[in-house]
Amino acid sequence: MRSRSGLIVALLLCLPLLAHAQRAGSVGGCDIRRGTLCTNANLNGADLTGVNLANSQFTRSDLSGANLSGATLNEANFSSTELTGTNFTGASMTRINLRAARLGQAKLVDADLRNAVLQNADLHQADLTGARLANADLTNARLDGAILNNADLQRANLRAAKLKGASLVGANLQGAILTRASLVDADLTGANLDQAIFLNAQTEGCTGCP
């Protein structure tokens, strides 16, 4: 009788894990696994917490409002993907391809985006507090109103990036390229600007700009 009770307790404890495995196994007809190919997929609002999608391809898919917190997305391809309001808190996203992706109001707090490709990406009002963006390519990215407080942007390419009203308080911009970037009304209070390049940058109303 005691062993039977123990089995029931064990099954009850495993139910949440089984439910998560089912969610992560197949969502919207897409096989959720490392290296998967899910172009033009609809995963709007999907719960993908902690999944491993490294080397996967989700080009032109819709993951708006999805939860990818703690996920592994290294070297994945999310170019031209809809990611508005998506949660990437603490996600590992090194060398990810987010070219022309739409990440407006996305949550990327403490995300690891080193060497990420974010050319022409839309990150307006996104929260990148504490994010690691060293060597990331943010050429012509839209970052209006984005929060980049304490973010690591060492040697990041922010050429022609739109940072109007963005907050970069305490950010590390050492060696970053901000040529022709718009920093109108941005806040760089306490930021590390050592060797950063501000050639032809628009700095009207910017706090902490050189």
Side-chain angles (χ1 to χ4, degrees), residues 18-90:
L18 290 170
H20 178 73
Q22 185 176 24
R23 285 199 308 271
S26 180
V27 180
C30 182
D31 189 14
I32 304 302
R33 59 175 175 76
R34 181 188 179 101
T36 194
L37 177 63
C38 290
T39 59
N40 298 299
N42 184 1
L43 292 97
N44 186 299
D47 182 3
L48 301 169
T49 308
V51 297
N52 186 349
L53 291 169
N55 307 109
S56 297
Q57 185 164 323
F58 284 86
T59 55
R60 299 181 302 281
S61 294
D62 183 359
L63 286 94
S64 54
N67 188 354
L68 284 150
S69 57
T72 299
L73 306 168
N74 303 329
E75 299 186 33
N77 189 346
F78 281 78
S79 61
S80 301
T81 298
E82 180 60 62
L83 298 162
T84 301
T86 301
N87 186 358
F88 292 101
T89 299

Side-chain angles (χ1 to χ4, degrees), residues 118-121 137-144 156-164 176-183 197-202:
L118 289 146
Q119 295 172 1
N120 300 302
D137 189 351
L138 291 139
T139 302
N140 203 42
R142 182 185 173 192
L143 290 148
D144 306 81
N157 187 350
L158 290 150
R159 192 184 302 271
K162 301 165 185 66
L163 290 146
K164 182 177 180 180
I177 301 172
L178 291 136
T179 301
R180 298 195 311 279
S182 172
L183 290 153
I197 301 171
F198 287 83
L199 183 65
N200 296 323
Q202 299 174 30

Side-chain angles (χ1 to χ4, degrees), residues 89-168:
T89 299
S92 181
M93 307 166 75
T94 58
R95 299 183 185 280
I96 190 171
N97 182 355
L98 288 161
R99 184 181 280 106
R102 294 173 291 281
L103 292 134
Q105 302 176 349
K107 192 170 184 179
L108 295 126
V109 177
D110 296 325
D112 188 352
L113 287 147
R114 288 174 295 172
N115 298 290
V117 177
L118 289 146
Q119 295 172 1
N120 300 302
D122 183 352
L123 291 138
H124 77 277
Q125 298 180 355
D127 190 350
L128 293 124
T129 302
R132 285 169 282 175
L133 290 147
N135 299 301
D137 189 351
L138 291 139
T139 302
N140 203 42
R142 182 185 173 192
L143 290 148
D144 306 81
I147 303 171
L148 291 139
N149 297 340
N150 300 312
D152 182 7
L153 289 149
Q154 289 187 76
R155 299 174 302 280
N157 187 350
L158 290 150
R159 192 184 302 271
K162 301 165 185 66
L163 290 146
K164 182 177 180 180
S167 181
L168 295 104

